[in-house]
């Protein structure tokens, strides 16, 4: 996986290069990032040259607050939460609980994301920070095609180091002042601990057999799963 520095796009990387059985995840096919609401000329040039399709996992309120105008790119809007980001912060849901909510309540939408990736076009998946919704959907797609488990976990955990420290401090202060009893809110807003993703993927293995079996049980076809492997591994 390669961190890419493009002004206007936060937490951007190409997940290609990680081991997948005897092969590797292809480079230049699956990208992930934070939102694309503040792209300038340099980011537009990158997106035009490297990306064919964008998957936006934000809810309607987030899209309205920070819309993305990306001429020439196909944008698929697939809200991955059954609810708003604010509702999870106010409800003091832990990262573990949040990810289980995505897996259990948003399985059909996770399948929609994976179905797009199976088409093999260079695709950028993003939410607001590129941490939770992006992290879960990308991890499941990679796990389903046999990417190395610890490489998937490391890719997820990398996000915390990509978020500006000034931004994290400001959010932590805001949450401490306004939601003093929401003990998990700061972690949800700022952290991506490796054990959380490791636990999520292990739990899916325990319940379904594998990430691939989870996707098949949620509506992905065997042909689409095979196409996903062809698109991502090589």
């Amino acid at each position: 996986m390669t961190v890419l520095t493009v002004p206007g796009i936060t937490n951007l990387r190409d997940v290609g290069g990680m081991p997948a059985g005897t092969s590797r995840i292809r480079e230049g096919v699956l990208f992930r990032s934070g939102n694309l609401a503040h792209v300038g000329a340099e980011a537009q040039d990158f997106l035009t040259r490297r990306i064919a399709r964008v998957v936006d996992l934000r809810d309607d309120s987030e899209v309205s607050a920070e819309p993305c105008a990306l001429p020439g790119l196909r944008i698929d809007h697939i809200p991955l939460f059954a609810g708003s980001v604010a509702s999870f912060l106010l409800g003091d849901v832990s990262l573990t609980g949040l990810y289980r909510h995505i897996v259990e309540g948003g399985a059909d939408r996770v399948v929609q994301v994976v179905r797009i990736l199976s088409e093999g076009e260079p695709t950028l998946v993003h939410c607001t920070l590129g941490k939770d919704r992006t992290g879960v959907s990308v991890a499941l797609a990679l796990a389903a095609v046999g990417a190395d488990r610890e490489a998937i976990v490391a890719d997820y955990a990398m996000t915390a180091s990509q978020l500006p420290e000034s931004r994290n401090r400001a959010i932590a202060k805001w949450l401490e002042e306004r939601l003093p009893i929401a003990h998990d809110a700061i972690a949800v807003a700022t952290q991506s601990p490796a054990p959380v993703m490791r636990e999520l993927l292990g739990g899916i293995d325990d319940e379904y057999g594998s990430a691939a079996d989870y996707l098949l049980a949620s509506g992905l076809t065997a042909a689409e799963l095979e196409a996903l492997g062809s698109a991502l591994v090589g």
Side-chain angles (χ1 to χ4, degrees):
M1 52 208 170
T2 305
V3 175
L4 303 171
T5 302
V6 177
I9 308 178
T10 60
N11 194 21
L12 173 65
R13 56 190 178 271
D14 179 345
V15 305
M18 67 174 64
T22 59
S23 190
R24 291 187 176 274
I25 298 300
R26 295 182 192 276
E27 296 180 341
V29 176
L30 175 53
F31 299 80
R32 55 178 296 176
S33 74
N35 78 57
L36 305 176
H38 308 289
V39 299
E42 193 168 346
Q44 285 276 12
D45 178 65
F46 167 82
L47 293 167
T48 300
R49 287 187 296 104
R50 303 285 299 276
I51 306 298
R53 199 162 180 179
V54 172
V55 179
D56 185 346
L57 305 177
R58 298 177 299 161
D59 66 35
D60 291 341
S61 64
E62 294 171 282
V63 173
S64 295
E66 293 188 296
C68 299
L70 301 170
L73 286 176
R74 179 176 176 183
I75 301 176
D76 296 272
H77 181 217
I78 306 174
L80 208 57
F81 285 157
S84 68
V85 175
S87 69
F88 293 106
L89 292 175
L90 291 170
D92 198 26
V93 177
S94 68
L95 279 172
T96 297
L98 179 61
Y99 295 173
R100 290 304 303 180
H101 176 85
I102 292 173
V103 167
E104 294 168 1
D108 59 329
R109 293 178 289 281
V110 172
V111 166
Q112 289 179 51
V113 176
V114 171
R115 191 169 281 136
I116 289 169
L117 298 180
S118 75
E119 296 178 15
E121 297 180 279
T123 300
L124 172 64
V125 180
H126 79 86
C127 49
T128 295
L129 297 176
K131 182 170 81 72
D132 304 313
R133 291 162 286 188
T134 299
V136 170
S137 55
V138 167
L140 289 171
L142 292 170
V145 299
D148 179 78
R149 177 64 53 89
E150 286 306 305
I152 296 171
V153 170
D155 176 60
Y156 162 77
M158 185 185 293
T159 285
S161 68
Q162 301 301 304
L163 302 179
E165 187 57 37
S166 58
R167 174 256 176 208
N168 287 346
R169 285 196 302 269
I171 285 181
K173 183 174 185 295
W174 188 93
L175 291 169
E176 286 168 351
E177 291 174 351
R178 289 164 176 78
L179 298 171
I181 62 171
H183 304 295
D184 288 310
I186 292 175
V188 168
T190 65
Q191 298 175 18
S192 58
V196 171
M197 181 55 68
R198 199 174 288 119
E199 178 184 350
L200 177 73
L201 295 175
I204 288 172
D205 289 345
D206 291 341
E207 185 171 350
Y208 295 93
S210 68
D213 290 325
Y214 159 77
L215 292 171
L216 291 170
S218 302
L220 195 72
T221 68
E224 288 168 336
L225 180 62
E226 183 177 355
L228 180 70
S230 298
L232 295 185
V233 181

